[in-house]
Amino acid sequence: MIGQLRGNLLATQPPQLLLDVSGVGYEVELPLSAFAQLPALGEPLTLITHLVVRDDAHLLYGFLHAHDRLLFRALLKVTGVGARLALEILGAMDAGQFAHCVAQDDVTALMRIPGIGKKTAQRLIMEMRDRLAGLSAGVIPANTAPAMNTRELALNDAISALLALGYRPPDANRMARAVDDGTNTTEEIIRAALRQIPNS
């Protein structure tokens, strides 16, 4: 099992990055929210990782914090939740915010995450409640983290859309935050961000 990688960041193409570890390039998939926190290309980076071995591939998933990997592994045990959906959840909200949603039975907040419908949200709450209770209280502070509000969700969705359009993580983060006035919808943030780009 590969549990950690330390090297230099070579390239990013969300949701994947390339990390040079002593001359070996590792392709690692991360939650989209993590890309805004990455260092510049060529700079050192340490990732906490989870390796999935399939018949046709070995897949590495990376996280900036150990508690995110802990939640990722717990999510994989939920019926119908695979690695891709677990990454979507971690890309939309951090471990504390997710734990708060579970504790408060907040189906609506979970349904804002791409790929999660009402039944999946209800199943996540039901199956994760006991698992979260069994995790270290210091790792996922369910009773202290605020629920992700509508503005944060809209902003994160807009950043994810800009990343999908090919913008670098720091640029996507900067563009979205520069035009968000706290009331915009995801679509309004994206349109406003794209309008700021000078015509070539």
Side-chain angles (χ1 to χ4, degrees):
M1 179 67 74
I2 300 174
Q4 177 177 292
L5 291 174
R6 180 182 293 115
N8 294 323
L9 182 60
L10 286 184
T12 60
Q13 189 174 359
Q16 193 173 82
L17 61 72
L18 184 63
L19 190 68
D20 176 16
V21 181
S22 301
V24 178
Y26 288 88
E27 295 179 342
V28 188
E29 292 194 34
L30 276 70
L32 286 178
S33 58
F35 282 85
Q37 305 174 54
L38 294 178
L41 295 183
E43 293 295 315
L45 173 65
T46 298
L47 294 175
I48 310 300
T49 59
H50 176 86
L51 176 65
V52 173
V53 179
R54 301 191 326 205
D55 289 340
D56 59 344
H58 289 195
L59 304 175
L60 266 175
Y61 298 94
F63 310 92
L64 299 178
H65 308 288
H67 59 260
D68 289 327
R69 183 180 66 180
L70 186 65
L71 176 56
F72 177 82
R73 288 175 168 173
L75 286 168
L76 292 181
K77 298 176 182 178
V78 175
T79 305
V81 175
R84 298 288 183 183
L85 186 53
L87 278 189
E88 285 283 359
I89 294 170
L90 284 167
M93 56 180 64
D94 64 27
Q97 290 163 337
F98 175 79
H100 184 86
C101 286
V102 171
Q104 299 299 316
D105 292 332
D106 195 344
V107 171
T108 301
L110 292 175
M111 287 175 61
R112 295 193 188 105
I113 301 172
I116 295 184
K118 185 175 182 179
K119 289 184 179 179
T120 302
Q122 292 172 333
R123 187 164 58 246
L124 279 166
I125 290 172
M126 181 179 65
E127 295 192 28
M128 286 297 296
R129 185 175 286 114
D130 290 339
R131 292 193 179 106
L132 288 175
L135 298 177
S136 169
V139 174
I140 301 182
N143 59 345
T144 59
M148 178 171 279
N149 60 39
T150 303
R151 178 191 177 191
E152 291 171 323
L153 285 167
L155 193 57
N156 278 358
D157 287 346
I159 292 171
S160 296
L162 291 171
L163 289 171
L165 290 173
Y167 291 98
R168 295 173 58 250
D171 294 335
N173 188 54
R174 174 183 51 77
M175 290 164 61
R177 293 184 184 281
V179 299
D180 179 35
D181 65 3
T183 63
N184 304 92
T185 64
T186 297
E187 292 75 14
E188 289 169 342
I189 296 172
I190 295 169
R191 285 198 297 269
L194 294 175
R195 281 198 298 267
Q196 301 302 310
I197 303 171
N199 295 323
S200 54

